[in-house]
Amino acid sequence: YLGSALQTRLGIPVTAGAPVDTEAVLGRIDPESADRLNETLMMSPGQEMTMDGKWRHVDGRSVHSRAWMRARQRPDGSVIQEGVVLDITELREVETELRRSEERSRLLAENAWEVIWTMAMDGSITYINPAVERMRGFTPEEAMRQSPEEIQPPESAAIGADYYQRLFAAIEAGTEPPTFRGEQEYYRKDGSIMTGELQVIPHRDATGQVIELIGVTRDISERKAFEAELRNLAVTDTLTGVWNRRQGTELLAADLSTRQAGQVLSLLMLDIDHFKAINDTFGHQAGDHVLIEIASRLRRSLRGNDMVARWGGEEFIVLLRDCALSDARRLAEDIRAAIAEIPFGVLGSLTVSIGAAEIREDEDLTSWLGRADQALYRAKRAGR
C-alpha cells in the first residue's frame, strides 16, 4: 500500500485497491539513495530506521524525502514494513542555499582586501580574516590574542572604549545600539602606524538582542599620506619649503585675531639685494639655490615660535611673536649678518635688506604689512 500523496510528491501511479508497482517505486529513486533503501528492505521485525532519499519525479525534477520506517511481524508470521514519508525538498533547497551562502561569505571574507573581524560581547575577538597580516603584519592568530593596548595607540583606543561604553549604555536602556564609523590608528608589527577607516556594526539576533560586533577596517594610510602631501603643497612654497604667501597671510591674520591686549608682535620683511643680477648673470638655477639657502639661514636664525613665509619672488616675511621692535631689530641684524658673512659658493657674499614694524593697537594687517614694506624700502634707499 502507498498513500495517494506519493502520486503527487513522487509521480508514482497509485490505484486504489490495486497492488503497488514496486518497480515503479524503485525505478524512481536516485542511485545515491538506492543502497540505503535496500538496507531498509532487509530490516528484521522490530527494527526501525530513518532514511533520507532523493527521487526522480515523473516530470523530471528531483524530490527529496525523509522516511521513518519499521518492520513488523503480523500474527500470520509474515513481515511487513510500515513508514511515513515526508517531502523535504524545500528544506533541502534551503539547506543547499544556506551552505552556498556560508561558503560564499567565507570566500569573500577570506579573500577580502579589508580586515573583517567579529567581537563577542565580552570583548574577545572571535574572528579575523587573513587580510590582517597584509595590513598589520600579524597573523590572524596573533591578532586575535592582542589586547586593545597592543592593537592601537592610546588616543584611538580611547575612542574605541568610548564607543563600547555608548553601545552598552544603549543596550542597557533598550534603545537603538549605535554603529561606529571613523578613522583609527593601528600598530603594525614593525612598529609603524597604520591609519584605518573603521566601521563597526552591532549584529542582532531575531529578538533584537545584540549578540556580537562585526567590524571592517580599510587601510587608508596611502590616502592619508597623499592628502597630507596635498595639504603641504597647498600651504608651503615648493622651492624653499617655508610657508607660501597664502598660508603666511592666514597665519598673520590668525595671530592678529587671537592677540591678547598688550601682546607685542613684530614683523620683518626681507628682500634679497640685486637678485635680478644673480639671475641674469648666473642663471635661474643659481637664483633658486640662493632662495633655498636664504630660507635655510632664516630658519636657523629664528626662535621656535617665529614664522617665516616666502612673500614674493625674492621677498620673505617673518612673524616674531612676543617680540617688541627693539628686539626685532636685533634679530634682523642677526639675520642680515648670517646671510652676509657666509659666501654663497661661486656667487660670493650676498646681502639682504630688512624692514621691521611692531603692531600698533587696533591696527589691521594691511596697515601693518604696509609699514614693514615702507621700512624695507627705506633700508634699500639708505644703501641696502
Side-chain angles (χ1 to χ4, degrees):
Y1 166 79
L2 285 176
S4 59
L6 282 176
Q7 184 172 19
T8 303
R9 298 295 188 186
L10 304 181
I12 298 173
V14 176
T15 303
V20 175
D21 184 354
T22 305
E23 292 299 322
V25 175
L26 297 180
R28 296 207 173 276
I29 192 165
D30 190 275
E32 298 176 3
S33 305
D35 291 342
R36 183 64 173 162
L37 180 61
N38 286 331
E39 289 181 29
T40 65
L41 297 177
M42 302 299 292
M43 288 192 299
S44 303
Q47 190 175 358
E48 297 181 356
M49 189 173 292
T50 301
M51 172 194 167
D52 286 358
K54 182 178 179 183
W55 304 81
R56 189 178 72 260
H57 195 278
V58 69
D59 62 10
R61 60 189 172 89
S62 294
V63 179
H64 294 269
S65 67
R66 177 166 294 165
W68 291 268
M69 303 163 66
R70 68 177 180 179
R72 178 172 64 85
Q73 188 170 14
R74 293 190 291 194
D76 63 2
S78 60
V79 177
I80 64 170
Q81 290 185 353
E82 302 169 319
V84 176
V85 180
L86 179 67
D87 183 352
I88 60 169
T89 303
E90 289 186 9
L91 174 63
R92 281 286 178 262
E93 290 174 350
V94 170
E95 289 175 342
T96 299
E97 181 55 34
L98 179 60
R99 283 194 300 271
R100 287 175 181 167
S101 178
E102 290 175 344
E103 179 66 14
R104 189 184 304 119
S105 298
R106 186 189 67 80
L107 287 171
L108 287 171
E110 296 297 302
N111 294 280
W113 193 249
E114 295 83 6
V115 171
I116 300 172
W117 53 270
T118 59
M119 176 187 288
M121 299 310 291
D122 63 2
S124 61
I125 302 296
T126 53
Y127 171 78
I128 300 181
N129 69 339
V132 70
E133 188 165 7
R134 174 191 57 79
M135 196 175 293
R136 295 184 55 224
F138 296 99
T139 65
E141 294 73 24
E142 290 172 331
M144 288 177 68
R145 293 194 297 267
Q146 290 184 312
S147 65
E149 294 75 18
E150 294 173 309
I151 297 173
Q152 294 181 303
E155 185 175 342
S156 289
I159 294 172
D162 175 71
Y163 165 70
Y164 298 131
Q165 191 173 32
R166 291 188 290 110
L167 171 68
F168 284 108
I171 294 173
E172 182 70 23
T175 57
E176 183 75 12
T179 60
F180 176 86
R181 183 164 189 170
E183 294 178 5
Q184 295 271 271
E185 290 186 333
Y186 300 84
Y187 292 121
R188 291 192 180 100
K189 197 168 190 176
D190 62 8
S192 62
I193 298 293
M194 181 209 86
T195 303
E197 186 178 63
L198 170 65
Q199 184 171 11
V200 181
I201 304 169
H203 179 198
R204 293 190 282 184
D205 62 15
T207 67
Q209 181 180 356
V210 179
I211 55 175
E212 66 176 355
L213 298 178
I214 301 175
V216 179
T217 305
R218 178 181 293 108
D219 186 354
I220 59 171
S221 301
E222 289 188 7
R223 190 188 83 192
K224 297 297 289 185
F226 180 67
E227 290 174 352
E229 180 63 21
L230 286 179
R231 286 194 298 271
N232 186 56
L233 291 172
V235 298
T236 59
D237 176 57
T238 55
L239 178 64
T240 62
V242 300
W243 299 122
N244 60 23
R245 180 166 182 154
R246 176 181 176 184
Q247 182 66 10
T249 303
E250 290 184 3
L251 292 173
L252 288 170
D255 271 74
L256 280 184
S257 66
T258 58
R259 176 173 171 259
Q260 302 296 315
Q263 182 185 5
V264 292
L265 298 171
S266 290
L267 187 66
L268 303 182
M269 188 165 286
L270 177 150
D271 183 86
I272 304 172
D273 296 329
H274 306 296
F275 186 72
K276 184 176 183 302
I278 296 171
N279 281 331
D280 292 344
T281 305
F282 297 96
H284 288 280
Q285 188 172 358
D288 288 348
H289 171 73
V290 169
L291 290 168
I292 294 168
E293 182 61 22
I294 291 286
S296 177
R297 295 188 193 186
L298 265 175
R299 282 188 295 234
R300 291 199 298 269
S301 300
L302 297 176
R303 305 167 304 168
N305 65 335
D306 297 330
M307 183 275 290
V308 58
R310 186 178 175 192
W311 203 243
E314 67 269 25
E315 280 189 338
F316 294 84
I317 62 163
V318 177
L319 170 64
L320 302 173
R321 298 181 173 98
D322 301 312
C323 184
L325 183 60
S326 57
D327 294 324
R329 292 181 64 161
R330 281 193 292 270
L331 262 172
E333 175 57 25
D334 292 341
I335 292 170
R336 187 206 61 77
I339 294 172
E341 292 173 0
I342 302 175
F344 285 70
V346 297
L347 301 179
S349 296
L350 301 177
T351 62
V352 296
S353 298
I354 304 174
E358 181 182 337
I359 190 70
R360 294 171 178 169
E361 290 301 323
D362 300 323
E363 185 173 33
D364 62 20
L365 181 55
T366 301
S367 173
W368 189 24
L369 286 166
R371 290 195 299 109
D373 190 53
Q374 291 168 10
L376 167 64
Y377 280 95
R378 284 199 300 272
K380 291 278 190 183
R381 290 194 298 269
R384 294 176 168 83

